[in-house]
Amino acid sequence: MSGFVTKPEPVQVPGLVHLHTGKVRDLYRDADGNLVMVASDRTSAYDWVLPNEIPDKGRVLTQLSLWWFERIADIVPNHVISTELPAGAPADWAGRTLVCRSLDMVPVECVARGYLAGSGLEEYRVSRTVCGVALPEGLDNGSELPGPIYTPALKAEVGEHDENVPYEETARRVGAELAATLRQTTLAVYSRARDIARDRGLILADTKFEFGLLDGELVIGDEVLTPDSSRFWPADAWEPGHDQPSFDKQIIRDWLTSSASGWDRKSENPPPRLPDEVVAHTRQRYIDAYEKLTGLPWK
């Protein structure tokens, strides 16, 4: 069992129709048919949306995505129309709300990996492959790959795992031409972002994107290159052979699986509330990622 520990009630705003409550984002449709995406401060781990929020997290995700959208615009267009608050929206939505074009979303999570970590590491240890991509012997936890690889997944519902699949499976589902475009675009965006992050002292180990179609054109949507969708490591601390320190919610995962939490991940019981110090430390890691990447102070 997994999902929301306590599912929030959607905020009701005149003129907006609530469509969906996700792990982090709430989706609405406005009177013009555009999507209104609101990034909450919710956080998830081990397929659970936790009872605590991480203050400012939704704003960091939104502002960092906007920063990245500008830097990849020559590779792929994005779905953002406006950052202005819809009339009647609560003040708390400021800085975390995007008015976006409605896309015909492609049912594929587009993942690029430049380093061995996470589910890719688990598969490699068994078969020396990641999503069917053969890799050389001798790689370890955190090793840099010979070159970036595309490892797609099928998106799961809240509380379920995304399913890693071979590239051929995506071609079967969406067609060979679109599958090839997804792979090419994903690797192009990853390579651009990897180089930008490297110049700022960060390693972009892996990342995932979501794409949709608008009048037949591929458009990138949702969030991009944030600590929620990407694994960023400090370059000066990189050392293959063990887990790397990261600018994401690894602090939360570590606490949940520690004896201090008292939670059995394999049970059907929901996870407990996070201690204040874990919340504060996680918030700071998100802000650190924003400041290191953009070179701007968080405010």
Side-chain angles (χ1 to χ4, degrees), residues 115-136:
Y115 293 75
L116 197 56
S119 62
L121 173 64
E122 294 174 8
E123 181 183 335
Y124 173 80
R125 284 173 168 167
V126 173
S127 63
R128 298 297 183 266
T129 64
V130 177
C131 291
V133 179
L135 294 173

PDB file of all heavy atoms in Angstrom, residues 115-136:
ATOM      1  N   TYR A 115      25.649   8.916 -15.408  1.00  0.00           N
ATOM      2  CA  TYR A 115      26.352   8.250 -14.323  1.00  0.00           C
ATOM      3  C   TYR A 115      25.485   7.105 -13.815  1.00  0.00           C
ATOM      4  O   TYR A 115      24.257   7.092 -14.013  1.00  0.00           O
ATOM      5  CB  TYR A 115      26.649   9.232 -13.180  1.00  0.00           C
ATOM      6  CG  TYR A 115      27.648  10.307 -13.554  1.00  0.00           C
ATOM      7  CD1 TYR A 115      27.267  11.372 -14.382  1.00  0.00           C
ATOM      8  CD2 TYR A 115      28.968  10.249 -13.111  1.00  0.00           C
ATOM      9  CE1 TYR A 115      28.180  12.359 -14.747  1.00  0.00           C
ATOM     10  CE2 TYR A 115      29.882  11.246 -13.470  1.00  0.00           C
ATOM     11  CZ  TYR A 115      29.485  12.281 -14.284  1.00  0.00           C
ATOM     12  OH  TYR A 115      30.387  13.244 -14.650  1.00  0.00           O
ATOM     13  N   LEU A 116      26.092   6.158 -13.150  1.00  0.00           N
ATOM     14  CA  LEU A 116      25.401   4.962 -12.690  1.00  0.00           C
ATOM     15  C   LEU A 116      24.900   5.179 -11.259  1.00  0.00           C
ATOM     16  O   LEU A 116      25.703   5.377 -10.339  1.00  0.00           O
ATOM     17  CB  LEU A 116      26.337   3.759 -12.752  1.00  0.00           C
ATOM     18  CG  LEU A 116      25.713   2.372 -12.699  1.00  0.00           C
ATOM     19  CD1 LEU A 116      24.675   2.187 -13.807  1.00  0.00           C
ATOM     20  CD2 LEU A 116      26.786   1.305 -12.791  1.00  0.00           C
ATOM     21  N   ALA A 117      23.578   5.149 -11.096  1.00  0.00           N
ATOM     22  CA  ALA A 117      22.975   5.363  -9.778  1.00  0.00           C
ATOM     23  C   ALA A 117      21.540   4.860  -9.807  1.00  0.00           C
ATOM     24  O   ALA A 117      20.975   4.576 -10.863  1.00  0.00           O
ATOM     25  CB  ALA A 117      23.008   6.847  -9.401  1.00  0.00           C
ATOM     26  N   GLY A 118      20.932   4.760  -8.629  1.00  0.00           N
ATOM     27  CA  GLY A 118      19.516   4.436  -8.525  1.00  0.00           C
ATOM     28  C   GLY A 118      19.156   3.095  -9.119  1.00  0.00           C
ATOM     29  O   GLY A 118      19.878   2.103  -8.996  1.00  0.00           O
ATOM     30  N   SER A 119      18.007   3.069  -9.808  1.00  0.00           N
ATOM     31  CA  SER A 119      17.522   1.821 -10.401  1.00  0.00           C
ATOM     32  C   SER A 119      18.454   1.327 -11.503  1.00  0.00           C
ATOM     33  O   SER A 119      18.544   0.127 -11.760  1.00  0.00           O
ATOM     34  CB  SER A 119      16.106   2.011 -10.956  1.00  0.00           C
ATOM     35  OG  SER A 119      16.099   2.982 -11.999  1.00  0.00           O
ATOM     36  N   GLY A 120      19.171   2.261 -12.148  1.00  0.00           N
ATOM     37  CA  GLY A 120      20.137   1.856 -13.165  1.00  0.00           C
ATOM     38  C   GLY A 120      21.271   1.033 -12.564  1.00  0.00           C
ATOM     39  O   GLY A 120      21.707   0.030 -13.141  1.00  0.00           O
ATOM     40  N   LEU A 121      21.727   1.445 -11.392  1.00  0.00           N
ATOM     41  CA  LEU A 121      22.782   0.707 -10.707  1.00  0.00           C
ATOM     42  C   LEU A 121      22.303  -0.687 -10.317  1.00  0.00           C
ATOM     43  O   LEU A 121      23.033  -1.677 -10.481  1.00  0.00           O
ATOM     44  CB  LEU A 121      23.232   1.469  -9.463  1.00  0.00           C
ATOM     45  CG  LEU A 121      24.214   0.757  -8.536  1.00  0.00           C
ATOM     46  CD1 LEU A 121      25.544   0.507  -9.238  1.00  0.00           C
ATOM     47  CD2 LEU A 121      24.421   1.580  -7.263  1.00  0.00           C
ATOM     48  N   GLU A 122      21.068  -0.782  -9.828  1.00  0.00           N
ATOM     49  CA  GLU A 122      20.515  -2.077  -9.426  1.00  0.00           C
ATOM     50  C   GLU A 122      20.472  -3.039 -10.611  1.00  0.00           C
ATOM     51  O   GLU A 122      20.845  -4.210 -10.492  1.00  0.00           O
ATOM     52  CB  GLU A 122      19.120  -1.887  -8.832  1.00  0.00           C
ATOM     53  CG  GLU A 122      19.103  -1.099  -7.517  1.00  0.00           C
ATOM     54  CD  GLU A 122      17.704  -0.804  -7.040  1.00  0.00           C
ATOM     55  OE1 GLU A 122      16.740  -1.341  -7.642  1.00  0.00           O
ATOM     56  OE2 GLU A 122      17.558  -0.025  -6.075  1.00  0.00           O
ATOM     57  N   GLU A 123      20.006  -2.549 -11.767  1.00  0.00           N
ATOM     58  CA  GLU A 123      19.936  -3.412 -12.945  1.00  0.00           C
ATOM     59  C   GLU A 123      21.335  -3.785 -13.436  1.00  0.00           C
ATOM     60  O   GLU A 123      21.586  -4.942 -13.803  1.00  0.00           O
ATOM     61  CB  GLU A 123      19.158  -2.723 -14.069  1.00  0.00           C
ATOM     62  CG  GLU A 123      19.031  -3.588 -15.315  1.00  0.00           C
ATOM     63  CD  GLU A 123      18.324  -2.885 -16.463  1.00  0.00           C
ATOM     64  OE1 GLU A 123      17.533  -1.957 -16.202  1.00  0.00           O
ATOM     65  OE2 GLU A 123      18.576  -3.252 -17.625  1.00  0.00           O
ATOM     66  N   TYR A 124      22.234  -2.826 -13.424  1.00  0.00           N
ATOM     67  CA  TYR A 124      23.592  -3.091 -13.908  1.00  0.00           C
ATOM     68  C   TYR A 124      24.261  -4.203 -13.105  1.00  0.00           C
ATOM     69  O   TYR A 124      24.967  -5.059 -13.664  1.00  0.00           O
ATOM     70  CB  TYR A 124      24.427  -1.816 -13.832  1.00  0.00           C
ATOM     71  CG  TYR A 124      25.888  -2.034 -14.158  1.00  0.00           C
ATOM     72  CD1 TYR A 124      26.327  -2.118 -15.479  1.00  0.00           C
ATOM     73  CD2 TYR A 124      26.836  -2.174 -13.133  1.00  0.00           C
ATOM     74  CE1 TYR A 124      27.665  -2.322 -15.779  1.00  0.00           C
ATOM     75  CE2 TYR A 124      28.175  -2.385 -13.429  1.00  0.00           C
ATOM     76  CZ  TYR A 124      28.584  -2.456 -14.748  1.00  0.00           C
ATOM     77  OH  TYR A 124      29.911  -2.685 -15.037  1.00  0.00           O
ATOM     78  N   ARG A 125      24.045  -4.196 -11.808  1.00  0.00           N
ATOM     79  CA  ARG A 125      24.675  -5.207 -10.962  1.00  0.00           C
ATOM     80  C   ARG A 125      24.182  -6.615 -11.282  1.00  0.00           C
ATOM     81  O   ARG A 125      24.894  -7.592 -11.045  1.00  0.00           O
ATOM     82  CB  ARG A 125      24.419  -4.875  -9.496  1.00  0.00           C
ATOM     83  CG  ARG A 125      25.281  -3.723  -8.982  1.00  0.00           C
ATOM     84  CD  ARG A 125      24.911  -3.295  -7.588  1.00  0.00           C
ATOM     85  NE  ARG A 125      25.934  -2.398  -7.030  1.00  0.00           N
ATOM     86  CZ  ARG A 125      25.761  -1.670  -5.929  1.00  0.00           C
ATOM     87  NH1 ARG A 125      24.602  -1.729  -5.267  1.00  0.00           N
ATOM     88  NH2 ARG A 125      26.741  -0.895  -5.490  1.00  0.00           N
ATOM     89  N   VAL A 126      22.993  -6.718 -11.851  1.00  0.00           N
ATOM     90  CA  VAL A 126      22.435  -8.025 -12.198  1.00  0.00           C
ATOM     91  C   VAL A 126      22.830  -8.442 -13.614  1.00  0.00           C
ATOM     92  O   VAL A 126      23.215  -9.591 -13.855  1.00  0.00           O
ATOM     93  CB  VAL A 126      20.896  -8.001 -12.061  1.00  0.00           C
ATOM     94  CG1 VAL A 126      20.283  -9.297 -12.572  1.00  0.00           C
ATOM     95  CG2 VAL A 126      20.497  -7.759 -10.604  1.00  0.00           C
ATOM     96  N   SER A 127      22.728  -7.503 -14.561  1.00  0.00           N
ATOM     97  CA  SER A 127      22.820  -7.888 -15.978  1.00  0.00           C
ATOM     98  C   SER A 127      23.842  -7.114 -16.793  1.00  0.00           C
ATOM     99  O   SER A 127      24.014  -7.405 -17.981  1.00  0.00           O
ATOM    100  CB  SER A 127      21.445  -7.702 -16.629  1.00  0.00           C
ATOM    101  OG  SER A 127      21.068  -6.325 -16.586  1.00  0.00           O
ATOM    102  N   ARG A 128      24.522  -6.130 -16.197  1.00  0.00           N
ATOM    103  CA  ARG A 128      25.440  -5.250 -16.918  1.00  0.00           C
ATOM    104  C   ARG A 128      24.729  -4.450 -18.003  1.00  0.00           C
ATOM    105  O   ARG A 128      25.310  -4.058 -19.014  1.00  0.00           O
ATOM    106  CB  ARG A 128      26.620  -6.039 -17.528  1.00  0.00           C
ATOM    107  CG  ARG A 128      27.480  -6.733 -16.482  1.00  0.00           C
ATOM    108  CD  ARG A 128      28.143  -5.719 -15.561  1.00  0.00           C
ATOM    109  NE  ARG A 128      29.037  -6.339 -14.598  1.00  0.00           N
ATOM    110  CZ  ARG A 128      28.686  -6.693 -13.351  1.00  0.00           C
ATOM    111  NH1 ARG A 128      27.439  -6.496 -12.921  1.00  0.00           N
ATOM    112  NH2 ARG A 128      29.559  -7.234 -12.522  1.00  0.00           N
ATOM    113  N   THR A 129      23.446  -4.216 -17.786  1.00  0.00           N
ATOM    114  CA  THR A 129      22.654  -3.381 -18.687  1.00  0.00           C
ATOM    115  C   THR A 129      21.834  -2.392 -17.873  1.00  0.00           C
ATOM    116  O   THR A 129      21.629  -2.566 -16.668  1.00  0.00           O
ATOM    117  CB  THR A 129      21.679  -4.214 -19.544  1.00  0.00           C
ATOM    118  OG1 THR A 129      20.718  -4.855 -18.676  1.00  0.00           O
ATOM    119  CG2 THR A 129      22.414  -5.273 -20.351  1.00  0.00           C
ATOM    120  N   VAL A 130      21.358  -1.339 -18.547  1.00  0.00           N
ATOM    121  CA  VAL A 130      20.360  -0.431 -17.973  1.00  0.00           C
ATOM    122  C   VAL A 130      19.289  -0.233 -19.030  1.00  0.00           C
ATOM    123  O   VAL A 130      19.571   0.279 -20.112  1.00  0.00           O
ATOM    124  CB  VAL A 130      20.971   0.920 -17.562  1.00  0.00           C
ATOM    125  CG1 VAL A 130      19.879   1.855 -17.042  1.00  0.00           C
ATOM    126  CG2 VAL A 130      22.049   0.741 -16.494  1.00  0.00           C
ATOM    127  N   CYS A 131      18.070  -0.689 -18.746  1.00  0.00           N
ATOM    128  CA  CYS A 131      16.969  -0.635 -19.713  1.00  0.00           C
ATOM    129  C   CYS A 131      17.371  -1.267 -21.041  1.00  0.00           C
ATOM    130  O   CYS A 131      17.026  -0.769 -22.114  1.00  0.00           O
ATOM    131  CB  CYS A 131      16.496   0.796 -19.924  1.00  0.00           C
ATOM    132  SG  CYS A 131      15.658   1.506 -18.514  1.00  0.00           S
ATOM    133  N   GLY A 132      18.118  -2.341 -20.956  1.00  0.00           N
ATOM    134  CA  GLY A 132      18.523  -3.047 -22.159  1.00  0.00           C
ATOM    135  C   GLY A 132      19.743  -2.491 -22.846  1.00  0.00           C
ATOM    136  O   GLY A 132      20.226  -3.063 -23.829  1.00  0.00           O
ATOM    137  N   VAL A 133      20.287  -1.359 -22.361  1.00  0.00           N
ATOM    138  CA  VAL A 133      21.500  -0.775 -22.938  1.00  0.00           C
ATOM    139  C   VAL A 133      22.707  -1.454 -22.292  1.00  0.00           C
ATOM    140  O   VAL A 133      22.899  -1.368 -21.069  1.00  0.00           O
ATOM    141  CB  VAL A 133      21.562   0.740 -22.697  1.00  0.00           C
ATOM    142  CG1 VAL A 133      22.856   1.318 -23.286  1.00  0.00           C
ATOM    143  CG2 VAL A 133      20.346   1.437 -23.307  1.00  0.00           C
ATOM    144  N   ALA A 134      23.521  -2.125 -23.095  1.00  0.00           N
ATOM    145  CA  ALA A 134      24.687  -2.831 -22.570  1.00  0.00           C
ATOM    146  C   ALA A 134      25.762  -1.843 -22.140  1.00  0.00           C
ATOM    147  O   ALA A 134      26.054  -0.876 -22.844  1.00  0.00           O
ATOM    148  CB  ALA A 134      25.241  -3.781 -23.631  1.00  0.00           C
ATOM    149  N   LEU A 135      26.344  -2.105 -20.965  1.00  0.00           N
ATOM    150  CA  LEU A 135      27.399  -1.258 -20.424  1.00  0.00           C
ATOM    151  C   LEU A 135      28.637  -2.105 -20.130  1.00  0.00           C
ATOM    152  O   LEU A 135      28.517  -3.307 -19.899  1.00  0.00           O
ATOM    153  CB  LEU A 135      26.918  -0.558 -19.150  1.00  0.00           C
ATOM    154  CG  LEU A 135      25.789   0.457 -19.329  1.00  0.00           C
ATOM    155  CD1 LEU A 135      25.287   0.950 -17.985  1.00  0.00           C
ATOM    156  CD2 LEU A 135      26.227   1.633 -20.193  1.00  0.00           C
ATOM    157  N   PRO A 136      29.808  -1.491 -20.114  1.00  0.00           N
ATOM    158  CA  PRO A 136      31.033  -2.266 -19.893  1.00  0.00           C
ATOM    159  C   PRO A 136      31.153  -2.784 -18.457  1.00  0.00           C
ATOM    160  O   PRO A 136      30.503  -2.269 -17.541  1.00  0.00           O
ATOM    161  CB  PRO A 136      32.150  -1.266 -20.210  1.00  0.00           C
ATOM    162  CG  PRO A 136      31.526   0.077 -20.006  1.00  0.00           C
ATOM    163  CD  PRO A 136      30.090  -0.081 -20.396  1.00  0.00           C
TER     164      PRO A 136
END
